[in-house]
Amino acid sequence: MFAAYVIVTVLTSVLTGVAATTYLIGHDYPKAQVDMKRLPRWWMPVLGTLLAAGSLGLLAGFAVPLLGTLAAGGLVLYFVGALIAHLRVGSRNLVGWAVFFVSSVAALALHLAHDGG
């Protein structure tokens, strides 16, 4: 169980960290996503910062377990919001969203199981 906890936490941190970087550097893909969801572009650094905070919080959870659990919960909420944004504009291309959401839920579940809630 400890191995799954570490692997999923690190994997989720890497995934969200890469996504945060693309938002923060202004890559074309997140610009297209923000435009498709009809969100203002000034949200890009905010979204990137939230993803970066979640990514770093997951790793900090190895030292401060509560912080990791809160970061995982925050990422789950972030991706619930992303789902709402997709559905609001009628987007059904949810494969990428599902990868991030499932990894965040798994990280949360493993943090809760490992740290005792």
Side-chain angles (χ1 to χ4, degrees):
M1 166 99 141
F2 180 73
Y5 162 71
V6 170
I7 290 168
V8 169
T9 298
V10 170
L11 177 65
T12 303
S13 179
V14 168
L15 284 171
T16 55
V18 168
T21 302
T22 63
Y23 273 86
L24 292 172
I25 67 171
H27 191 271
D28 288 339
Y29 181 75
K31 285 180 184 174
Q33 288 294 304
V34 167
D35 292 344
M36 180 268 297
K37 293 173 187 133
R38 290 185 245 140
L39 299 172
R41 285 232 179 140
W42 63 264
W43 279 28
M44 285 183 58
V46 174
L47 297 173
T49 301
L50 291 172
L51 286 168
S55 178
L56 294 173
L58 287 174
L59 296 178
F62 290 125
V64 182
L66 179 61
L67 190 56
T69 303
L70 293 173
L75 287 170
V76 169
L77 293 175
Y78 177 96
F79 290 112
V80 167
L83 175 63
I84 292 167
H86 271 277
L87 297 178
R88 182 177 62 90
V89 297
S91 171
R92 299 297 186 259
N93 184 9
L94 299 173
V95 174
W97 168 85
V99 170
F100 284 97
F101 181 73
V102 168
S103 68
S104 298
V105 169
L108 178 59
L110 288 168
H111 273 270
L112 290 172
H114 181 266
D115 301 330

mmCIF file of all heavy atoms in Angstrom, residues 53-77:
data_model
loop_
_atom_site.group_PDB
_atom_site.id
_atom_site.type_symbol
_atom_site.label_atom_id
_atom_site.label_comp_id
_atom_site.label_asym_id
_atom_site.label_seq_id
_atom_site.Cartn_x
_atom_site.Cartn_y
_atom_site.Cartn_z
ATOM 1 N N ALA A 53 0.194 24.750 -7.010
ATOM 2 C CA ALA A 53 0.026 24.604 -5.562
ATOM 3 C C ALA A 53 -0.398 23.179 -5.212
ATOM 4 O O ALA A 53 0.103 22.593 -4.237
ATOM 5 C CB ALA A 53 -1.002 25.603 -5.050
ATOM 6 N N GLY A 54 -1.300 22.609 -6.002
ATOM 7 C CA GLY A 54 -1.714 21.226 -5.768
ATOM 8 C C GLY A 54 -0.569 20.256 -5.960
ATOM 9 O O GLY A 54 -0.368 19.331 -5.170
ATOM 10 N N SER A 55 0.207 20.471 -7.007
ATOM 11 C CA SER A 55 1.344 19.604 -7.306
ATOM 12 C C SER A 55 2.376 19.642 -6.178
ATOM 13 O O SER A 55 2.833 18.599 -5.698
ATOM 14 C CB SER A 55 1.987 20.039 -8.625
ATOM 15 O OG SER A 55 3.106 19.253 -8.913
ATOM 16 N N LEU A 56 2.742 20.831 -5.759
ATOM 17 C CA LEU A 56 3.724 20.967 -4.683
ATOM 18 C C LEU A 56 3.159 20.500 -3.343
ATOM 19 O O LEU A 56 3.880 19.912 -2.531
ATOM 20 C CB LEU A 56 4.192 22.416 -4.587
ATOM 21 C CG LEU A 56 4.981 22.925 -5.798
ATOM 22 C CD1 LEU A 56 5.249 24.416 -5.668
ATOM 23 C CD2 LEU A 56 6.273 22.143 -5.966
ATOM 24 N N GLY A 57 1.874 20.733 -3.134
ATOM 25 C CA GLY A 57 1.233 20.283 -1.900
ATOM 26 C C GLY A 57 1.220 18.770 -1.768
ATOM 27 O O GLY A 57 1.391 18.227 -0.672
ATOM 28 N N LEU A 58 1.039 18.078 -2.891
ATOM 29 C CA LEU A 58 1.088 16.614 -2.846
ATOM 30 C C LEU A 58 2.457 16.139 -2.364
ATOM 31 O O LEU A 58 2.557 15.228 -1.533
ATOM 32 C CB LEU A 58 0.796 16.020 -4.226
ATOM 33 C CG LEU A 58 -0.642 16.076 -4.707
ATOM 34 C CD1 LEU A 58 -0.730 15.574 -6.145
ATOM 35 C CD2 LEU A 58 -1.557 15.261 -3.807
ATOM 36 N N LEU A 59 3.512 16.748 -2.893
ATOM 37 C CA LEU A 59 4.861 16.353 -2.495
ATOM 38 C C LEU A 59 5.154 16.760 -1.053
ATOM 39 O O LEU A 59 5.797 16.011 -0.309
ATOM 40 C CB LEU A 59 5.890 16.955 -3.443
ATOM 41 C CG LEU A 59 5.807 16.469 -4.893
ATOM 42 C CD1 LEU A 59 6.841 17.177 -5.754
ATOM 43 C CD2 LEU A 59 5.956 14.959 -4.975
ATOM 44 N N ALA A 60 4.670 17.921 -0.647
ATOM 45 C CA ALA A 60 4.859 18.366 0.736
ATOM 46 C C ALA A 60 4.137 17.432 1.705
ATOM 47 O O ALA A 60 4.524 17.329 2.872
ATOM 48 C CB ALA A 60 4.361 19.797 0.902
ATOM 49 N N GLY A 61 3.132 16.730 1.202
ATOM 50 C CA GLY A 61 2.390 15.792 2.029
ATOM 51 C C GLY A 61 3.220 14.635 2.547
ATOM 52 O O GLY A 61 2.844 13.990 3.523
ATOM 53 N N PHE A 62 4.351 14.377 1.925
ATOM 54 C CA PHE A 62 5.232 13.343 2.468
ATOM 55 C C PHE A 62 5.813 13.780 3.811
ATOM 56 O O PHE A 62 6.086 12.948 4.672
ATOM 57 C CB PHE A 62 6.353 13.001 1.487
ATOM 58 C CG PHE A 62 5.886 12.272 0.259
ATOM 59 C CD1 PHE A 62 6.171 12.768 -1.003
ATOM 60 C CD2 PHE A 62 5.160 11.102 0.350
ATOM 61 C CE1 PHE A 62 5.750 12.098 -2.143
ATOM 62 C CE2 PHE A 62 4.728 10.426 -0.776
ATOM 63 C CZ PHE A 62 5.021 10.924 -2.030
ATOM 64 N N ALA A 63 6.000 15.091 3.992
ATOM 65 C CA ALA A 63 6.523 15.619 5.247
ATOM 66 C C ALA A 63 5.401 16.026 6.204
ATOM 67 O O ALA A 63 5.508 15.837 7.415
ATOM 68 C CB ALA A 63 7.425 16.817 4.976
ATOM 69 N N VAL A 64 4.349 16.610 5.646
ATOM 70 C CA VAL A 64 3.200 17.063 6.451
ATOM 71 C C VAL A 64 1.952 16.413 5.851
ATOM 72 O O VAL A 64 1.358 16.956 4.911
ATOM 73 C CB VAL A 64 3.080 18.610 6.431
ATOM 74 C CG1 VAL A 64 1.922 19.078 7.303
ATOM 75 C CG2 VAL A 64 4.380 19.268 6.833
ATOM 76 N N PRO A 65 1.553 15.246 6.360
ATOM 77 C CA PRO A 65 0.473 14.478 5.728
ATOM 78 C C PRO A 65 -0.822 15.257 5.488
ATOM 79 O O PRO A 65 -1.441 15.105 4.439
ATOM 80 C CB PRO A 65 0.249 13.321 6.702
ATOM 81 C CG PRO A 65 1.585 13.148 7.356
ATOM 82 C CD PRO A 65 2.143 14.537 7.484
ATOM 83 N N LEU A 66 -1.209 16.095 6.407
ATOM 84 C CA LEU A 66 -2.443 16.861 6.226
ATOM 85 C C LEU A 66 -2.367 17.753 4.994
ATOM 86 O O LEU A 66 -3.345 17.887 4.252
ATOM 87 C CB LEU A 66 -2.748 17.707 7.467
ATOM 88 C CG LEU A 66 -4.011 18.570 7.383
ATOM 89 C CD1 LEU A 66 -5.254 17.712 7.183
ATOM 90 C CD2 LEU A 66 -4.145 19.437 8.616
ATOM 91 N N LEU A 67 -1.213 18.330 4.737
ATOM 92 C CA LEU A 67 -1.033 19.184 3.567
ATOM 93 C C LEU A 67 -1.239 18.395 2.270
ATOM 94 O O LEU A 67 -1.876 18.879 1.337
ATOM 95 C CB LEU A 67 0.353 19.830 3.597
ATOM 96 C CG LEU A 67 0.619 20.933 2.585
ATOM 97 C CD1 LEU A 67 -0.410 22.041 2.693
ATOM 98 C CD2 LEU A 67 2.009 21.483 2.789
ATOM 99 N N GLY A 68 -0.726 17.175 2.214
ATOM 100 C CA GLY A 68 -0.921 16.327 1.035
ATOM 101 C C GLY A 68 -2.377 15.972 0.821
ATOM 102 O O GLY A 68 -2.870 15.972 -0.311
ATOM 103 N N THR A 69 -3.065 15.673 1.903
ATOM 104 C CA THR A 69 -4.488 15.344 1.805
ATOM 105 C C THR A 69 -5.289 16.545 1.329
ATOM 106 O O THR A 69 -6.151 16.425 0.450
ATOM 107 C CB THR A 69 -5.022 14.852 3.164
ATOM 108 O OG1 THR A 69 -4.248 13.717 3.581
ATOM 109 C CG2 THR A 69 -6.486 14.454 3.073
ATOM 110 N N LEU A 70 -4.998 17.710 1.870
ATOM 111 C CA LEU A 70 -5.697 18.928 1.446
ATOM 112 C C LEU A 70 -5.394 19.268 -0.009
ATOM 113 O O LEU A 70 -6.286 19.703 -0.760
ATOM 114 C CB LEU A 70 -5.338 20.103 2.358
ATOM 115 C CG LEU A 70 -5.840 20.004 3.801
ATOM 116 C CD1 LEU A 70 -5.266 21.138 4.637
ATOM 117 C CD2 LEU A 70 -7.350 19.981 3.853
ATOM 118 N N ALA A 71 -4.141 19.080 -0.422
ATOM 119 C CA ALA A 71 -3.772 19.349 -1.817
ATOM 120 C C ALA A 71 -4.514 18.403 -2.755
ATOM 121 O O ALA A 71 -5.030 18.832 -3.795
ATOM 122 C CB ALA A 71 -2.262 19.206 -1.999
ATOM 123 N N ALA A 72 -4.578 17.130 -2.407
ATOM 124 C CA ALA A 72 -5.296 16.164 -3.244
ATOM 125 C C ALA A 72 -6.779 16.518 -3.320
ATOM 126 O O ALA A 72 -7.388 16.472 -4.396
ATOM 127 C CB ALA A 72 -5.107 14.743 -2.700
ATOM 128 N N GLY A 73 -7.362 16.902 -2.192
ATOM 129 C CA GLY A 73 -8.767 17.321 -2.190
ATOM 130 C C GLY A 73 -8.981 18.567 -3.033
ATOM 131 O O GLY A 73 -9.976 18.680 -3.762
ATOM 132 N N GLY A 74 -8.050 19.500 -2.956
ATOM 133 C CA GLY A 74 -8.137 20.706 -3.781
ATOM 134 C C GLY A 74 -8.062 20.389 -5.261
ATOM 135 O O GLY A 74 -8.782 20.984 -6.075
ATOM 136 N N LEU A 75 -7.194 19.447 -5.627
ATOM 137 C CA LEU A 75 -7.104 19.057 -7.041
ATOM 138 C C LEU A 75 -8.384 18.380 -7.510
ATOM 139 O O LEU A 75 -8.834 18.607 -8.640
ATOM 140 C CB LEU A 75 -5.894 18.147 -7.269
ATOM 141 C CG LEU A 75 -4.543 18.849 -7.219
ATOM 142 C CD1 LEU A 75 -3.406 17.827 -7.220
ATOM 143 C CD2 LEU A 75 -4.392 19.812 -8.382
ATOM 144 N N VAL A 76 -8.984 17.559 -6.668
ATOM 145 C CA VAL A 76 -10.260 16.937 -7.035
ATOM 146 C C VAL A 76 -11.299 18.024 -7.307
ATOM 147 O O VAL A 76 -12.010 17.981 -8.323
ATOM 148 C CB VAL A 76 -10.747 15.958 -5.939
ATOM 149 C CG1 VAL A 76 -12.186 15.527 -6.182
ATOM 150 C CG2 VAL A 76 -9.819 14.740 -5.872
ATOM 151 N N LEU A 77 -11.381 19.007 -6.437
ATOM 152 C CA LEU A 77 -12.332 20.111 -6.644
ATOM 153 C C LEU A 77 -12.006 20.909 -7.898
ATOM 154 O O LEU A 77 -12.911 21.317 -8.639
ATOM 155 C CB LEU A 77 -12.354 21.029 -5.423
ATOM 156 C CG LEU A 77 -12.924 20.422 -4.145
ATOM 157 C CD1 LEU A 77 -12.763 21.391 -2.985
ATOM 158 C CD2 LEU A 77 -14.374 20.013 -4.338
#
